Amino acid sequence: MRILIAEDEQVLAQQIKTVLKAEGRVVDMAHDGSEAEFLGSTEPYDLIILDIGLPIRDGLTVLKTWRATGIDTPVLILTARDGWSDRVDGLDAGADDYLTKPFHMAELSARIRAMIRRKTGQSNPVFSKDDISFDTRNNQVTVAGIPKSLTAQESAVLSYLFHNCNRLVSRSELSDHIYQYDGDRDSNTIAVFVNRLRKKLGDDLIQTVRGRGYVIKAIA
Ligand code: CA
């Protein structure tokens, strides 16, 4: 899952980035409203964290521009403690959730998980297919109750396919959601990650639709 952090306070932005990366998210950063508006309009993020008080263009203006141009990416706004009117305006402008600074990283993480589940139409934080289960709260995968260890990329591929289960996902869509903006992209490596996942989790979990992509057929 790929997330844009639009926050001009460097220390806070880095803290958020560190936490999200540790949770297996792919993260891009924007340090002002203009950069945020561009990235949010051109890259297919799964979620955007948007500070309302951004330089050059404020967060509320950026959010309104996205919504007016049909960008429906889930947006969580960050507001100042006394910014109740920003929260009202933000929600009315199309924000999906908000957090007031300062906040606990654990709350940010939980809100992000919930927003991503809502976006993909899932309500259960644990996905399962046959004897395989994937817990989105800690990225833990088990096969018949036995934990399996995955690399960050394998986990990112599995998470995206499970969140979008019963839908065909192309290799290019997968690369869009597991690599950051300036990351080296090679859609051939997606096939490598899928093969490694099959070795660890069995052949039946991820189905290949020849020439089109992959699907996990699961009860969601
Ligand atoms: Ca700010």
Side-chain angles (χ1 to χ4, degrees), residues 142-156:
T142 59
V143 178
I146 298 160
K148 297 282 173 180
S149 124
L150 301 183
T151 65
Q153 280 117 337
E154 290 161 5
S155 181

Side-chain angles (χ1 to χ4, degrees), residues 53-179:
L54 284 176
I56 303 183
R57 205 165 302 161
D58 69 273
L60 206 54
T61 305
V62 172
L63 176 59
K64 284 178 180 164
T65 307
W66 285 333
R67 295 310 189 226
T69 52
I71 304 293
D72 64 355
T73 311
V75 171
L76 183 149
I77 53 173
L78 303 180
T79 67
R81 188 199 296 270
D82 56 356
W84 68 268
S85 63
D86 285 341
R87 295 193 279 283
V88 172
D89 291 346
L91 290 168
D92 280 343
D96 300 88
D97 202 354
Y98 68 85
L99 268 180
T100 302
K101 295 178 185 177
F103 51 83
H104 288 282
M105 288 295 160
E107 184 175 4
L108 176 68
S109 296
R111 284 180 186 272
I112 287 172
R113 286 193 294 274
M115 287 172 74
I116 287 176
R117 284 202 308 272
R118 275 202 296 275
K119 183 208 176 196
T120 54
Q122 314 293 347
S123 50
N124 193 333
V126 181
F127 293 104
S128 56
K129 155 99 175 161
D130 303 330
D131 60 353
I132 298 166
S133 88
F134 179 72
D135 191 332
T136 58
R137 293 165 295 190
N138 52 17
N139 292 330
Q140 180 67 66
V141 186
T142 59
V143 178
I146 298 160
K148 297 282 173 180
S149 124
L150 301 183
T151 65
Q153 280 117 337
E154 290 161 5
S155 181
V157 168
L158 188 65
S159 177
Y160 194 81
L161 288 175
F162 257 130
H163 275 91
N164 293 280
C165 63
N166 301 312
R167 183 171 77 73
L168 179 74
V169 178
S170 69
R171 281 186 193 178
S172 69
E173 180 181 343
L174 261 174
S175 349
D176 271 345
H177 292 268
I178 69 158
Y179 291 116

